[in-house]
Amino acid sequence: MRLLTLLLLSVCVWFAGSARAQENSQSREFQLKTAYLFHFAELAQWPTTKPVTICLQGHSLLRAYLPVLEGQQINGNAVHVNLADAPDITQCSILFLSDLAGLTPVLTEQARLHHVLLVGDVENFANHGGMVQFTLRDNRLKLVVNLAAVKSADLKLSSKLLRMAEIIE
Amino acid sequence: MLINRYLRQFAYFCSGLCLANMQVLAQGNPADIEATNELLPLSWEELTELEVSSLARQEQTVKDSPAAAFVITSEDIRRSGATSLPEVLRMVPGMNVAKINAWNWAVSARGFNDLYANKLQVMIDGRSIYDPLISGVYWGQQNPSLPDIERIEVLRGPSGSLWGANAVNGTINIITRSARDTQGGLLNAGGGTEERGFGGIRYGQKLSESTFLRGTISTMVRDASIDLAGRQDTHDTGDTETANFRLDSQLSAQDKLMLEANVSRYRLGGYYIGKTSTTAPLWQNDDFGRDGVTGSLQGNWSHRTDSGHDWRLNMAFTQTEWQLAVNRMSRSHYDLDFQHTLPAIIDNHKLMWGLNYQNIADSFDNTLTLGFEPNQFTQHNVGVFLQDQIDLTDDLKLTIGNRVEHFTFTGWETEPNARLLWTPNKQHSLWAAVSRAVVLPNRAQHSIRLFKQIPDTNRFFEAKANPDMLTENLLAYELGWRWQVSTSFDIDSALFYNIYDRMQGTKFTSVTYNNPIFGTIKQATVANYRQVDSYGLELAVNYRVNPDWRLQASYSANQFSVNYDKNQPWFRDPLTEEHFNPQHNVSLRSLYNLTSEIELDAWARYVDEVYIDRRSIPAYISLDLRLGWHPHKNLELSISGQNLLDNQHPEFSDVLYIPVASQIQRGYLAQISWHF
């Protein structure tokens, strides 16, 4: 039994250790995503001008980095970050969803009404009604944009952003 | 049963441990927060170019390197409006770039600039493009499609221990985009008053999940200009056509393969070399031009073992054929490089070593005017290098390295260097270096026979080779300081003191008065006659005013003291005369996004006066402007004006009058680029 404990313990520690080894490139990925979200605040255009609030729903490594954006200025306006577990969507300008489960028909309808840019990084996010999806391609972050969803929420994305994005209509 | 419960408990414990691990991640450590902060001032274009993870060897950024380094990004190239490589290099502090005519450039670092500047190593994807005939680069024969370039890394100062002989005053690494990053199509075309027309088409195709291929064909036609006196057309028109293919494949998790093929053809005017004949007319001055084809094949295989060893094998074969009215050359150039980077086996040590072999076989069709003796020759050069990077303390790094090479021309040579990098905090890093480097005598110095009329006289001039020519040696002392003042403002500075020994000089050795055909003939020979000391300063400043506006400034100054017997009958030798180099160079660039669709860019340069061939080339200020417009996500239109401040001005000349020097004229240019 002791042997089994040791064996399992070592497997367990090895597993935890390998998770840590991925930390470096993973943390870099989420640092980049944070910087992208910062640029979205500038590259997206809302029907009314108000300070941009970035919200996060679900468990994402992004939670560690988003606070960096709090108070940063973009075009003279401060960016705010809302990390509440269940953010009030009416208060958000950009909502980052960590999974597809969060992307319910109710939520997409709310986002449409309140002009919220829905951003995610899970596969098929843009196909399922999300607006901007991060995807890892050739070691670089790429964007997939569902232009119909963006337009229906009365949002405009700068051509600078669309230039590097893959667009699904 | 018991075991079952036991396992379940264990699973809970284990997932708890992993979760705890996640929790640590979720809080984000200060270094990660700092790294995120550093990303925020980047422009959108710069941000989207960043890689998520990179190999350990490539992770060393300019900021960490103990050398005077500068990186030109694809964004810098696009927004410069430039259509050729040397133009782009003008933004680098410490680089001397001067246009001689439409196809010929003098490019050097830290002085000694000339058409035949011999102290710069230049590579495209690791394949050397410097020409062993002159130890320089014929820039007019190197016309890679600029949109294919990912970045250009420029190191000023010697790096002979890594890059071998001729990496003396600088090394330029041109890195093209991976086939993986160039999928789909790109059409670019443009035309204007000086750049008559240029264009190219690129297409990239995915062959499998891990293998990508792309091909580019491009062409360029340039207009002729006017001579330095402002009287005659210089006929330096011409055209080039280039085809390039690149394949990138991730063979396995550990293995990467890159294959590249390139063919380039050129017909360049503006070579008033003239012909000498034993029957009248003895000298016939005409524009004969220069035609040629260069083809290359290259393969690069890298392998990383599970234990952290990096192996890299690079092979390149280049075939060059050109003809002038007075000679024809055919040359095969074969390079084999092997490099091994070891994991940190010994604490604090990072070892790297490598081997290289080079085989250059040429043959010439000699004439009375221009010949190379013997007309067929093969060089075999071999080298081995070793470098160790030692972490002395957390903020002090020592890099020592040496390369030992054997050359057919000069035998054994050695190029050691030691570099110290001190990074007391995130804002400052200081470095110091001592290095030795050598310039290998070239095939021309060893075997040239040039016989031509002295311009505007009826006497003749004969340049004779010196088969005993030795290497030029450099001992360089460098100091550098990088200061990250804030996330949006940084300053990079370098000081150097260079001691050159056995520099080449050319002097008249004899005069023949009563040659039955040619009358008076003055003979000149090259040898290692001179000592030169040079010192200088280089500054680069980057300021991001806001995400839409970036300013970049660079300044360099240098001074020379040349030690030689002034009473000797010296031939005016560009390679060592101090006044061939401008004392001050300034470049100011502004990259401004008027809106997210419209870019307005400006670039002003000041270059100090130089004297060439006893003629003053006055100091000049030039201004380029570019207006770019992205009406659609796949479309870019731009118009640019180059050298806007005057109708024309000279930038350089050539003492041997082989390519005729012309003035640089104001030019207007429109470009279109369409991704499909």
Side-chain angles (χ1 to χ4, degrees):
Chain A
M1 190 58 92
R2 182 181 289 172
L3 191 71
L4 185 66
T5 307
L6 269 177
L7 193 76
L8 284 174
L9 198 67
S10 64
V11 166
C12 181
V13 167
W14 172 80
F15 188 68
S18 76
R20 194 168 284 259
Q22 285 181 357
E23 180 184 334
N24 266 333
S25 87
Q26 278 220 333
S27 69
R28 169 82 171 166
E29 180 184 334
F30 283 89
Q31 285 163 16
L32 286 170
K33 284 175 183 170
T34 304
Y36 270 68
L37 284 169
F38 180 59
H39 278 271
F40 291 171
E42 193 209 359
L43 299 175
Q45 208 181 321
W46 285 265
T48 53
T49 45
K50 54 172 187 182
V52 173
T53 302
I54 303 172
C55 306
L56 170 67
Q57 182 178 312
H59 291 289
S60 170
L61 290 176
L62 210 53
R63 195 170 287 274
Y65 305 105
L66 276 183
V68 169
L69 300 184
E70 176 62 40
Q72 295 278 355
Q73 301 272 321
I74 207 123
N75 294 336
N77 288 316
V79 171
H80 296 294
V81 175
N82 181 349
L83 292 179
D85 281 338
D88 174 7
I89 189 163
T90 63
Q91 300 302 310
C92 304
S93 323
I94 299 174
L95 175 62
F96 187 93
L97 298 167
S98 67
D99 47 47
L100 269 185
L103 193 67
T104 59
V106 178
L107 186 122
T108 48
E109 182 57 21
Q110 270 189 318
R112 202 177 68 80
L113 287 174
H114 298 286
H115 320 297
V116 182
L117 185 72
L118 295 177
V119 184
D121 61 356
V122 280
E123 225 174 297
N124 289 322
F125 182 79
N127 278 322
H128 285 75
M131 297 175 194
V132 180
Q133 178 194 326
F134 286 111
T135 170
L136 208 54
R137 204 166 293 164
D138 306 331
N139 205 17
R140 285 191 178 88
L141 284 180
K142 292 282 169 204
L143 300 175
V144 183
V145 173
N146 180 338
L147 211 52
V150 173
K151 279 180 182 161
S152 77
D154 258 345
L155 295 169
K156 269 179 81 178
L157 291 178
S158 153
S159 57
K160 228 161 85 172
L161 186 153
L162 294 176
R163 233 175 275 152
M164 57 77 69
E166 178 191 322
I167 291 176
I168 52 173
E169 299 276 352
Chain B
M1 265 304 152
L2 195 70
I3 294 274
N4 227 335
R5 208 173 72 204
Y6 173 84
L7 278 177
R8 202 172 308 139
Q9 274 177 353
F10 211 94
Y12 279 127
F13 171 73
C14 193
S15 60
L17 195 66
C18 285
L19 216 65
N21 217 335
M22 290 285 279
Q23 223 82 77
V24 171
L25 288 181
Q27 281 158 16
N29 64 53
D32 284 352
I33 298 295
E34 182 64 35
T36 314
N37 256 320
E38 282 171 9
L39 293 174
L40 299 187
L42 296 182
S43 75
W44 176 250
E45 289 79 11
E46 289 167 314
L47 183 66
T48 53
E49 281 288 318
L50 292 181
E51 298 201 332
V52 173
S53 64
S54 48
L55 288 173
R57 181 149 27 95
Q58 295 161 340
E59 254 169 31
Q60 191 172 56
T61 61
V62 168
K63 215 171 127 190
D64 308 323
S65 81
F70 191 92
V71 176
I72 299 168
T73 64
S74 58
E75 178 73 0
D76 287 326
I77 297 174
R78 187 176 69 80
R79 298 190 67 162
S80 70
T83 53
S84 66
L85 280 174
E87 279 177 274
V88 175
L89 296 172
R90 291 188 200 260
M91 68 181 74
V92 184
M95 287 296 297
N96 304 111
V97 179
K99 195 170 178 175
I100 296 171
N101 66 19
W103 303 100
N104 287 281
W105 296 77
V107 179
S108 178
R110 296 184 170 171
F112 307 100
N113 201 18
D114 187 61
L115 172 65
Y116 304 103
N118 66 350
K119 295 173 182 59
L120 202 61
Q121 174 66 277
V122 185
M123 289 165 285
I124 298 182
D125 296 326
R127 176 176 62 89
S128 175
I129 58 166
Y130 95 98
D131 196 306
L133 179 65
I134 55 163
S135 300
V137 176
Y138 282 117
W139 292 95
Q141 300 168 20
Q142 303 294 338
N143 297 289
S145 174
L146 295 186
D148 288 354
I149 297 175
E150 183 178 281
R151 64 180 190 282
I152 303 174
E153 298 176 345
V154 183
L155 282 176
R156 284 110 54 200
S159 48
S161 76
L162 277 185
W163 304 112
N166 295 85
V168 173
N169 276 17
T171 305
I172 298 174
N173 258 312
I174 298 157
I175 294 147
T176 68
R177 289 175 188 274
S178 156
R180 231 169 43 159
D181 294 341
T182 47
Q183 294 301 290
L186 171 71
L187 177 82
N188 74 301
T193 54
E194 292 303 305
E195 299 293 332
R196 278 288 183 75
F198 60 93
I201 187 160
R202 172 175 90 199
Y203 196 78
Q205 180 73 42
K206 189 176 195 167
L207 300 181
S208 76
E209 272 312 303
S210 56
T211 306
F212 301 83
L213 177 70
R214 73 124 188 276
T216 308
I217 50 171
S218 57
T219 178
M220 186 178 295
V221 183
R222 292 204 177 121
D223 190 33
S225 182
I226 196 159
D227 68 7
L228 296 191
R231 282 197 292 269
Q232 284 182 345
D233 187 313
T234 44
H235 301 284
D236 51 333
T237 178
D239 61 273
T240 73
E241 295 80 36
T242 303
N244 178 281
F245 296 91
R246 176 167 168 160
L247 179 132
D248 286 271
S249 181
Q250 189 81 42
L251 299 174
S252 72
Q254 281 99 24
D255 295 87
K256 257 167 83 171
L257 180 72
M258 189 276 278
L259 298 172
E260 197 174 344
N262 196 82
V263 185
S264 185
R265 173 165 186 271
Y266 44 86
R267 279 171 294 205
L268 314 179
Y271 285 81
Y272 270 114
I273 182 165
K275 265 185 191 168
T276 311
S277 167
T278 48
T279 54
L282 298 178
W283 174 253
Q284 191 190 344
N285 213 351
D286 202 353
D287 177 13
F288 294 108
R290 178 182 188 119
D291 293 359
V293 182
T294 304
S296 67
L297 279 172
Q298 188 186 355
N300 184 308
W301 174 47
S302 56
H303 175 76
R304 173 162 222 176
T305 68
D306 290 333
S307 48
H309 291 266
D310 273 319
W311 312 86
R312 203 165 62 172
L313 190 66
N314 194 64
M315 279 184 280
F317 175 75
T318 309
Q319 180 72 30
T320 311
E321 311 272 338
W322 54 246
Q323 59 174 24
L324 290 161
V326 292
N327 207 314
R328 175 202 287 270
M329 185 192 81
S330 171
R331 181 180 63 212
S332 312
H333 186 152
Y334 185 77
D335 263 312
L336 184 66
D337 274 287
F338 170 76
Q339 190 179 305
H340 176 199
T341 311
L342 282 77
I345 300 172
I346 319 162
D347 275 353
N348 307 328
H349 286 260
K350 220 173 124 190
L351 277 166
M352 190 162 117
W353 68 279
L355 292 167
N356 70 291
Y357 170 70
Q358 187 182 50
N359 178 308
I360 306 164
D362 58 27
S363 99
F364 291 90
D365 288 353
N366 291 337
T367 62
L368 178 65
T369 319
L370 180 64
F372 297 89
E373 308 292 351
N375 73 328
Q376 288 191 0
F377 191 72
T378 304
Q379 300 178 45
H380 301 273
N381 303 324
V382 288
V384 53
F385 84 91
L386 176 68
Q387 179 179 291
D388 188 11
Q389 186 188 307
I390 309 154
D391 294 336
L392 297 175
T393 66
D394 280 349
D395 51 20
L396 201 59
K397 273 193 174 77
L398 174 69
T399 309
I400 47 171
N402 192 16
R403 176 182 287 264
V404 177
E405 289 182 284
H406 186 272
F407 298 104
T408 301
F409 280 147
T410 62
W412 292 101
E413 303 291 344
T414 175
E415 293 136 280
N417 81 89
R419 291 174 183 272
L420 195 62
L421 176 69
W422 181 45
T423 316
N425 53 47
K426 284 198 100 64
Q427 279 74 46
H428 298 279
S429 65
L430 286 109
W431 58 269
V434 185
S435 355
R436 181 181 193 269
V438 300
V439 182
L440 190 67
N442 54 50
R443 173 80 155 103
Q445 290 169 332
H446 258 255
S447 48
I448 196 168
R449 169 173 57 69
L450 176 68
F451 186 54
K452 61 179 289 190
Q453 198 176 48
I454 299 174
D456 306 321
T457 68
N458 54 10
R459 287 170 295 164
F460 277 77
F461 165 73
E462 186 181 12
K464 284 181 168 170
N466 177 1
D468 300 322
M469 192 76 190
L470 300 169
T471 55
E472 298 178 12
N473 298 338
L474 165 67
L475 183 60
Y477 300 91
E478 295 174 277
L479 276 177
W481 175 33
R482 289 189 197 99
W483 182 17
Q484 187 82 41
V485 184
S486 73
T487 48
S488 55
F489 190 66
D490 64 81
I491 302 172
D492 187 356
S493 58
L495 287 169
F496 66 89
Y497 181 63
N498 288 348
I499 304 165
Y500 299 88
D501 189 23
R502 303 201 309 219
M503 288 278 274
Q504 63 168 315
T506 306
K507 74 176 178 188
F508 290 105
T509 43
S510 54
V511 184
T512 307
Y513 287 102
N514 296 314
N515 184 290
I517 302 170
F518 297 102
T520 304
I521 303 170
K522 295 183 84 170
Q523 278 107 2
T525 301
V526 64
N528 303 84
Y529 288 121
R530 301 176 178 183
Q531 273 82 45
V532 180
D533 289 2
S534 74
Y535 50 95
L537 161 77
E538 289 146 5
L539 271 177
V541 179
N542 258 304
Y543 178 42
R544 296 167 200 280
V545 185
N546 59 48
D548 288 318
W549 192 15
R550 182 155 79 98
L551 294 171
Q552 191 184 58
S554 74
Y555 168 75
S556 63
N558 55 27
Q559 283 286 333
F560 296 82
S561 89
V562 182
N563 178 14
Y564 65 100
D565 181 355
K566 295 198 169 56
N567 297 321
Q568 297 284 330
W570 296 102
F571 180 72
R572 303 180 288 267
D573 190 345
L575 297 175
T576 44
E577 293 290 1
E578 56 182 307
H579 55 229
F580 269 76
N581 296 283
Q583 280 187 19
H584 305 277
N585 271 291
V586 181
S587 155
L588 283 170
R589 288 198 308 143
S590 161
L591 287 76
Y592 188 62
N593 297 329
L594 282 173
T595 70
S596 59
E597 285 88 28
I598 299 176
E599 304 153 342
L600 178 64
D601 305 313
W603 188 2
R605 295 179 300 271
Y606 168 80
V607 180
D608 213 351
E609 183 180 24
V610 292
Y611 294 88
I612 296 163
D613 196 18
R614 293 176 191 155
R615 185 204 300 263
S616 158
I617 293 188
Y620 65 86
I621 300 175
S622 67
L623 177 71
D624 296 354
L625 289 175
R626 171 184 175 274
L627 188 68
W629 179 39
H630 299 264
H632 181 265
K633 83 180 200 85
N634 293 328
L635 187 64
E636 180 191 327
L637 302 170
S638 73
I639 47 169
S640 25
Q642 292 170 322
N643 305 304
L644 289 171
L645 297 185
D646 48 23
N647 287 334
Q648 62 214 22
H649 66 260
E651 288 191 0
F652 214 75
S653 183
D654 173 44
V655 170
L656 292 176
Y657 309 102
I658 292 177
V660 63
S662 69
Q663 301 205 49
I664 312 310
Q665 298 180 313
R666 180 189 289 129
Y668 298 99
L669 187 66
Q671 290 191 64
I672 177 171
S673 138
W674 177 45
H675 284 269
F676 59 93

